[in-house]
Amino acid sequence: MNDHDKATESSIHRISDDPLVRRLQVSIRHAARILAVLMVLVIWWGVADVVYVLYTRVSTHPYYLLEISDILATFGAFMAVLIAIEVFVNIVSYLDEGGLQLDIVLATAYMAVLRKIIILDYKEISPEYVYATAALAIALALGYWLSRTPQQAHLPPRAP
């Protein structure tokens, strides 16, 4: 270990040994726990919203028939709940491992962009917006793939 690495390591330990920083870190962990509880409430609220959307769409005339706009609204409600679940997974990951995992954050962002793509009204938006959204979806997919590739390179080969 060279002198620069020793100095960096000692400064990290000096900061983490600071009682104030430790108390602040504990405070942040408590805040993350509160966010996890609130996110569970949001998830259940979202599930209730999905039930409500389905009920209102199916109970209007013509009964038990859904139009494309109804199906898209239902998909949007489902995707919103799934995104909330992914955010909860991010919070739990932060609490378990002391930091956010890049692949989980990218997967959450990708799901949010895909939700937006599903519910877009293509008659109302400009082609530039469609191209920008497509570029964002491709960039997030590529980022997710790149974040997962190094981890998979270290996995043992599967048995035949």
Side-chain angles (χ1 to χ4, degrees):
M1 189 181 291
N2 63 28
D3 291 333
H4 177 54
D5 290 340
K6 288 179 185 176
T8 304
E9 184 180 344
S10 67
S11 67
I12 290 171
H13 288 296
R14 193 171 356 105
I15 292 171
S16 64
D17 289 341
D18 184 359
L20 174 63
V21 172
R22 278 186 294 191
R23 283 193 297 260
L24 293 174
Q25 288 172 334
V26 167
S27 174
I28 289 172
R29 289 188 61 77
H30 287 304
R33 287 184 180 106
I34 291 169
L35 287 175
V37 170
L38 292 174
M39 188 53 62
V40 169
L41 294 175
V42 167
I43 290 167
W44 281 110
W45 192 347
V47 169
D49 183 57
V50 169
V51 170
Y52 176 75
V53 167
L54 278 173
Y55 175 75
T56 57
R57 304 291 186 191
V58 171
S59 65
T60 58
H61 188 70
Y63 299 110
Y64 302 109
L65 292 177
L66 295 175
E67 296 178 7
I68 295 296
S69 62
D70 298 333
I71 293 170
L72 290 177
T74 304
F75 283 168
F78 270 97
M79 292 291 287
V81 173
L82 292 174
I83 292 166
I85 290 170
E86 288 295 323
V87 171
F88 176 77
V89 169
N90 284 330
I91 294 168
V92 170
S93 170
Y94 174 80
L95 287 170
D96 287 346
E97 300 181 20
L100 293 176
Q101 293 181 344
L102 179 63
D103 57 338
I104 297 174
V105 173
L106 286 171
T108 304
Y110 189 54
M111 187 177 290
V113 170
L114 293 180
R115 177 188 181 273
K116 184 69 173 174
I117 290 170
I118 289 171
I119 65 171
L120 278 178
D121 184 3
Y122 290 96
K123 296 175 188 169
E124 303 291 324
I125 60 172
S126 68
E128 293 84 12
Y129 191 87
V130 174
Y131 295 140
T133 306
L136 181 58
I138 291 168
L140 285 170
L142 181 63
Y144 180 77
W145 179 73
L146 289 172
S147 74
R148 299 292 295 169
T149 302
Q151 294 173 2
Q152 292 175 355
H154 299 304
L155 294 177
R158 288 191 225 176

